[in-house]
């Protein structure tokens, strides 16, 4: 399989599955609703919407939502060109291609939400009916102001922090508290693979074909 085909396949697969899950959750669940996975109360489909960054984090500055949406688009565009250049570079392992493909797929998945969902869906509420796709009265927001749909929630256990810990001492901490989506998983998985298995690429990146030193001709 060509590396370009591998990258394109991973990006498309993650995007399709990510969007299928999000659209199903958005149009079939009420906001805040929880559905146990295989009946286990420590693994849940929990519908929330994220107005900011991954794992429910917020970007609390004026026009933060617009800035974040634009930043995502710029970062994804840079990653596309970087990956395109990488595909022309010899000596790159398939593992590194897969890692960057996962990061790109995750970034694009969340960009679709924040860019278009506000125009495509009605608002989600904790009561009444689930959101509607292409509602007659228009979506709940405008271009670049959509919310990212999150749904995976794994509150595995809760621990009491020791009293001697500054600021948070004595408080209880839930692991794992954030609600996330498949796009977040793809980004995290890709970054983790690079950090653990491909750090050498950034210390000694291989030269591109155009910049490889020419071998001296033997006399």
């Amino acid at each position: 399989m060509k590396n370009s085909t591998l990258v394109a396949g991973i990006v498309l697969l993650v995007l399709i599955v990510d969007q299928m899950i999000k659209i199903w959750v958005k149009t079939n669940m009420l906001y805040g609703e929880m559905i146990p996975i295989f009946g286990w109360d420590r693994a849940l489909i929990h519908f929330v919407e994220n107005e900011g960054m991954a794992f429910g984090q917020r970007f609390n500055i004026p026009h933060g939502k617009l800035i974040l949406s634009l930043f995502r688009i710029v970062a994804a565009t840079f990653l596309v060109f970087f990956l395109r250049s990488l595909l022309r570079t010899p000596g790159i392992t398939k593992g590194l291609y897969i890692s960057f493909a996962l990061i790109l797929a995750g970034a694009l998945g969340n960009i679709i939400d924040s860019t278009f969902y506000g125009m495509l869906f009605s608002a989600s509420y904790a009561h009444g009916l689930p959101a509607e796709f292409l509602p007659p009265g228009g979506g709940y927001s405008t271009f670049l102001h959509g919310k990212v749909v999150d749904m995976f929630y794994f509150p595995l256990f809760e621990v009491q922090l020791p009293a001697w810990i500054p600021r948070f001492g004595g408080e209880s901490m839930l692991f794992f508290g954030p609600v996330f989506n498949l796009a977040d998983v793809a980004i995290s998985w890709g970054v983790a693979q690079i950090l653990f298995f491909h750090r050498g690429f950034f210390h000694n990146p291989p030269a591109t074909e155009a910049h490889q030193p020419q071998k001296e001709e033997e006399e």
Side-chain angles (χ1 to χ4, degrees):
M1 180 185 295
K2 291 183 178 180
N3 291 324
S4 57
T5 304
L6 175 65
V7 168
I10 291 172
V11 172
L12 285 175
L13 178 62
V14 172
L15 271 180
I16 291 171
V17 176
D18 176 64
Q19 289 301 309
M20 287 177 62
I21 296 172
K22 288 174 176 176
I23 292 172
W24 185 90
V25 168
K26 180 74 175 170
T27 56
N28 287 273
M29 296 180 66
L30 297 177
Y31 190 86
E33 184 179 354
M34 296 188 188
I35 301 175
I37 300 175
F38 302 120
W40 191 32
D41 61 358
R42 296 295 179 181
L44 305 163
I45 301 296
H46 177 27
F47 174 32
V48 297
E49 289 180 305
N50 172 21
E51 297 186 12
M53 296 176 285
F55 298 103
Q57 300 300 310
R58 292 179 177 271
F59 202 43
N60 292 322
I61 64 171
H63 306 292
K65 177 62 184 176
L66 177 60
I67 293 172
L68 184 59
S69 295
L70 292 173
F71 173 78
R72 281 174 170 159
I73 293 172
V74 171
T77 302
F78 170 80
L79 187 55
V80 167
F81 283 102
F82 175 77
L83 195 48
R84 182 182 177 186
S85 174
L86 205 64
L87 287 168
R88 299 175 177 174
T89 304
I92 303 298
T93 63
K94 287 190 181 297
L96 190 61
Y97 286 129
I98 292 171
S99 299
F100 280 114
L102 287 170
I103 296 172
L104 176 60
L108 292 175
N110 285 335
I111 284 173
I112 291 173
D113 296 31
S114 60
T115 302
F116 301 110
Y117 271 31
M119 301 184 297
L120 298 177
F121 295 95
S122 59
S124 295
Y125 298 103
H127 53 80
L129 297 174
E132 183 181 354
F133 180 65
L134 296 178
Y140 65 83
S141 189
T142 56
F143 183 63
L144 295 177
H145 287 83
K147 299 175 183 178
V148 177
V149 176
D150 292 328
M151 75 294 296
F152 295 122
Y153 182 43
F154 299 98
L156 298 180
F157 58 85
E158 192 170 358
V159 296
Q160 192 79 16
L161 298 178
W164 52 265
I165 296 180
R167 186 178 178 184
F168 300 106
E171 296 183 4
S172 60
M173 183 181 71
L174 179 65
F175 182 89
F176 182 73
V179 185
F180 55 96
N181 57 44
L182 183 62
D184 297 331
V185 174
I187 294 172
S188 301
W189 186 8
V191 170
Q193 285 192 139
I194 291 172
L195 291 177
F196 286 106
F197 303 113
H198 305 290
R199 285 180 296 178
F201 168 78
F202 296 98
H203 296 296
N204 298 292
T208 61
E209 292 180 350
H211 295 87
Q212 285 184 335
Q214 299 292 327
K215 294 182 180 180
E216 295 182 1
E217 296 181 0
E218 297 182 359
E219 295 182 358

